[in-house]
Amino acid sequence: MTTSTMTQETISYVCSTVRSRSAIELDISKSYLIEARLAPLAKRNGFGSIDEFVQAVKGKTKLGMESQLVEAMTTNETSFFRDIHPFEALRKTLFPEIRTKHAIQKSMNIWSAACSSGQEIYSIGMLIRENFPDLASWRVNLVATDLSDDILAKAKAGKFSQLEVNRGLPATLIVKYFQRQGLNWELQSEVRNMATFMKLNLIERWPQLPMMDVVFLRNVLIYFSPETKRAILEKIRKVMAPRGVLFLGAAETTMGLDAAFERVQADSSVFYRLK
Ligand SMILES: C[S@@+](CC[C@H](N)C(=O)[O-])C[C@H]1O[C@@H](n2cnc3c(N)ncnc32)[C@H](O)[C@@H]1O
C-alpha cells in the first residue's frame, strides 16, 4: 500500500520522464523518494502540490521545469576520496605506469563521468599535486561531466561545506588546499583549474572526448537498466586508450554486461581493462 499524496498518473509521468531523459529507473515502489524530492521543488516553483507542478511540467508552461524535475530525481551523493582504494591504485600503480608510458608526449587524460559536485575529480587533482610534482610540467587533462547543470555549477565553484570537507579529507589536505570562506571552504584555484567541467548525458550523444587513460564511472550505472548499462559500457570502451582503466562503484561490475572488459584486482582495489 502507498500513502502517497500523488495520483497514479503523476507517479507514472515522473517515472517515464526521468527514464527517458536520464535512464534512471524509477517505479511506484520509489514513490516516497519522488515525493521527498519533488515536494520542495513544487513549492519553490509556487505550486500547492506535486500534482499541480507535474501538470505544469506536462503543459510546458515554464521553460526548464522538466529538467528541474529530472535533476531533482538524481542522487548526488559523493565525497572526497570516496572508497579510497581507487585512489590508492592510482597513486601506487597506475600513475607511475602512465608516467612511464607517456614519458615522451607528457600528457594524460582522466575522466570523472557522473562527477556530481566534483569531489572525485578534485581528489585526483590533489593526489597528483601531493604525490607527483613532476607532472606539473605535463598536460594533465582532468575532465569531469554530469547530467545536471546545478550540480556542475556547484562543482565548478569548488566551494564545500564543513561537513563535505570533513568527509574524506584529512586535516592536512584541508589546510593545504582550501581557504576558509565564511562557513565554507574554497578549493585553491591551482587545483580547481586542473579540472574541466562539461555537461554530458551518458544516454545522449557525447561530445568529442580525448582517449582516456583512466575513467571513473562510479555509482551511476546502478540506477540504469542492464540494456542501458551495456550501451554505456560499449561507448566507454571507444574512448579508452590502450591499457586504459575503468573504475566502477563498489556495487557495480562489467561482469555479465560486457565481455570486452577484464576485472583486475590490485591490492584492495578493483578496476577493469579492455582484454
Ligand atoms: C551518486 S552520484 C556519483 C558521484 C561520483 N561519481 C561518486 O561516485 O562519488 C551520481 C551522479 O550521476 C549523475 N547522473 C545520473 N544520470 C546521469 C546520466 N544519464 N548522465 C550523466 N550523469 C548522470 C547524477 O547527476 C549524479 O551527479
Side-chain angles (χ1 to χ4, degrees):
M1 201 183 79
T2 168
T3 53
S4 174
T5 56
M6 300 170 288
T7 63
Q8 181 71 44
E9 195 190 332
T10 292
I11 297 172
S12 307
Y13 178 81
V14 170
C15 294
S16 71
T17 304
V18 171
R19 190 178 303 117
S20 71
R21 291 275 310 266
S22 71
I24 296 171
E25 293 287 335
L26 291 174
D27 58 39
I28 183 94
S29 69
K30 299 268 172 62
S31 46
Y32 68 95
L33 186 70
I34 299 175
E35 192 152 6
R37 299 274 180 84
L38 296 191
L41 184 60
K43 195 166 168 209
R44 225 175 23 251
N45 278 284
F47 295 96
S49 70
I50 299 175
D51 286 331
E52 281 175 33
F53 170 66
V54 166
Q55 277 307 323
V57 173
K58 277 186 193 173
K60 304 201 187 318
T61 48
K62 211 165 105 192
L63 218 66
M65 278 201 310
E66 190 179 274
S67 298
Q68 283 184 37
L69 180 153
V70 174
E71 293 191 14
M73 292 313 305
T74 61
T75 298
N76 301 124
E77 167 72 16
T78 189
S79 57
F80 288 102
F81 295 99
R82 183 176 189 177
D83 302 337
I84 196 66
H85 304 301
F87 301 94
E88 286 293 291
L90 287 181
R91 185 176 64 82
K92 289 194 200 151
T93 318
L94 298 169
F95 280 153
E97 210 177 283
I98 297 170
R99 192 169 47 177
T100 308
K101 188 175 141 205
H102 294 324
I104 310 268
Q105 68 266 47
K106 289 193 185 316
S107 75
M108 65 166 89
N109 300 315
I110 322 277
W111 181 20
S112 164
C115 64
S116 188
S117 37
Q119 284 90 327
E120 186 165 82
I121 203 73
Y122 289 143
S123 299
I124 298 173
M126 284 185 273
L127 185 147
I128 291 174
R129 291 258 152 179
E130 280 296 286
N131 300 283
F132 302 94
D134 53 311
L135 294 183
S137 63
W138 281 43
R139 208 169 45 78
V140 177
N141 198 7
L142 303 184
V143 180
T145 63
D146 203 281
L147 157 94
S148 160
D149 286 318
D150 284 356
I151 208 74
L152 282 169
K154 173 166 166 46
K156 265 186 221 167
K159 290 198 183 81
F160 299 94
S161 68
Q162 185 72 54
L163 204 73
E164 286 170 326
V165 291
N166 284 348
R167 288 188 64 198
L169 280 177
T172 44
L173 292 190
I174 302 179
V175 175
K176 189 162 172 189
Y177 291 105
F178 291 79
Q179 279 103 39
R180 223 187 202 309
Q181 248 203 5
L183 291 176
N184 291 327
W185 290 90
E186 185 177 19
L187 181 62
Q188 228 176 54
S189 58
E190 292 91 87
V191 179
R192 258 190 0 245
N193 294 340
M194 290 173 81
T196 306
F197 291 94
M198 273 194 300
K199 185 164 178 159
L200 184 150
N201 186 335
L202 290 163
I203 60 160
E204 286 175 1
R205 207 184 146 83
W206 295 1
Q208 177 86 31
L209 293 169
M211 295 304 275
M212 299 294 174
D213 298 296
V214 179
V215 178
F216 274 59
L217 178 71
R218 301 193 308 156
N219 305 302
V220 65
L221 288 185
I222 31 165
Y223 300 107
F224 302 152
S225 69
E227 300 75 60
T228 304
K229 291 180 198 184
R230 271 191 204 102
I232 293 172
L233 287 170
E234 195 181 332
K235 282 167 87 178
I236 292 277
R237 270 201 252 141
K238 299 193 175 127
V239 297
M240 282 177 66
R243 300 282 299 155
V245 303
L246 168 68
F247 284 100
L248 298 177
E252 297 160 334
T253 177
T254 61
M255 314 284 253
L257 293 169
D258 193 328
F261 287 98
E262 67 179 346
R263 185 179 185 275
V264 181
Q265 171 105 34
D267 297 327
S268 305
S269 85
V270 170
F271 52 82
Y272 298 86
R273 250 187 179 136
L274 291 176
K275 284 180 185 163

